[in-house]
Amino acid sequence: QQQVKQSPQSLIVQKGGISIINCAYENTAFDYFPWYQQFPGKGPALLIAIRPDVSEKKEGRFTISFNKSAKQFSLHIMDSQPGDSATYFCAASSGAGSYQLTFGKGTKLSVIP
Amino acid sequence: DAGITQSPRHKVTETGTPVTLRCHQTENHRYMYWYRQDPGHGLRLIHYSYGVKDTDKGEVSDGYSVSRSKTEDFLLTLESATSSQTSVYFCAISGGRFTDTQYFGPGTRLTVL
């Protein structure tokens, strides 16, 4: 199974709150899990990524939590700001071969003042 | 931004006409990818290249062909465009120290009437 399932489809959070987006995967060969942020009319931009040798990675207000046994990973955005309003995609790839990414279907985040 | 350009950025064409989209990179990365993005589907891989003249199919390759005659250029061709190929097309590249990290171009919006 190559699928990556992402939830929720949309999310509304108050300014200053925590935004949480979840992803689950089936393919145990996946060994790289990036998150992308996309603004309207722009290409996806790499936000943060994690590999299975760690359970958490933090960069500024953005944190990835990774649960290898459950085959799940999540993005937490602390102190969410209106400028964080965008669509977020999780993805996964296997180091064997082409490094092609399998994407979740995206979460549209709206941060309201 | 990673050194990726896509041309054209917008195109409107008629059903049955051939269309070629160009991706150009200045990073000298080995891997190049073409994705399409459609509402509710996220990003799906069309074709990818792992070197000059080395290409392979992705998840949604039917109706598309690719060519890579130089490291810096990756062309996506729709031999006979159909309305179902109306989409936003993104090129991505990876290589260098972290081969699995992909960087995306700005996209081409293609409308097939």
Side-chain angles (χ1 to χ4, degrees):
Chain A
Q1 276 286 349
Q2 293 292 315
Q3 206 171 11
V4 175
K5 293 182 179 179
Q6 183 172 347
S7 63
Q9 280 189 311
S10 62
L11 182 61
I12 300 174
V13 173
Q14 291 248 291
K15 179 182 175 182
I18 302 173
S19 304
I20 302 174
I21 304 170
N22 301 299
C23 285
Y25 64 97
E26 292 292 329
N27 187 349
T28 55
F30 286 150
D31 60 3
Y32 174 68
F33 303 89
W35 284 88
Y36 285 84
Q37 179 188 56
Q38 186 179 30
F39 294 105
K42 303 292 186 183
L46 180 65
L47 188 62
I48 186 172
I50 197 168
R51 301 179 194 278
D53 52 340
V54 296
S55 60
E56 185 174 283
K57 182 174 181 180
K58 183 176 180 180
E59 289 185 3
R61 296 185 293 110
F62 301 92
T63 300
I64 299 179
S65 297
F66 182 76
N67 186 330
K68 188 174 181 178
S69 61
K71 291 184 285 186
Q72 295 175 347
F73 58 110
S74 60
L75 176 69
H76 294 235
I77 306 174
M78 311 299 289
D79 186 27
S80 298
Q81 299 296 312
D84 296 330
S85 298
T87 300
Y88 293 81
F89 293 94
C90 64
S93 72
S94 163
S98 67
Y99 305 100
Q100 56 183 285
L101 287 169
T102 299
F103 281 86
K105 293 187 177 182
T107 296
K108 185 173 182 180
L109 172 65
S110 299
V111 181
I112 54 176
Chain B
D1 290 341
I4 311 170
T5 56
Q6 292 185 232
S7 58
R9 295 293 314 280
H10 302 271
K11 186 170 182 68
V12 180
T13 191
E14 304 235 327
T15 298
T17 59
V19 176
T20 296
L21 307 183
R22 179 182 184 237
C23 177
H24 178 78
Q25 61 145 329
T26 58
E27 305 295 325
N28 200 36
H29 280 348
R30 178 183 175 188
Y31 293 88
M32 298 185 76
Y33 310 82
W34 277 108
Y35 292 88
R36 61 177 289 175
Q37 184 174 37
D38 305 288
H41 289 277
L43 291 110
R44 294 179 291 173
L45 183 67
I46 305 171
H47 281 279
Y48 65 94
S49 169
Y50 47 96
V52 173
K53 295 192 168 74
D54 292 322
T55 65
D56 207 345
K57 296 178 180 180
E59 177 188 354
V60 291
S61 60
D62 286 349
Y64 301 95
S65 62
V66 290
S67 65
R68 191 171 179 197
S69 59
K70 299 185 288 185
T71 299
E72 58 266 35
D73 289 327
F74 192 31
L75 303 181
L76 176 71
T77 298
L78 291 66
E79 301 290 347
S80 178
T82 68
S83 58
S84 65
Q85 293 176 313
T86 293
S87 187
V88 181
Y89 292 85
F90 288 100
C91 173
I93 64 173
S94 70
R97 183 180 175 196
F98 297 107
T99 311
D100 48 12
T101 301
Q102 291 189 24
Y103 299 96
F104 283 78
T108 293
R109 181 172 295 275
L110 175 67
T111 302
V112 183
L113 302 175

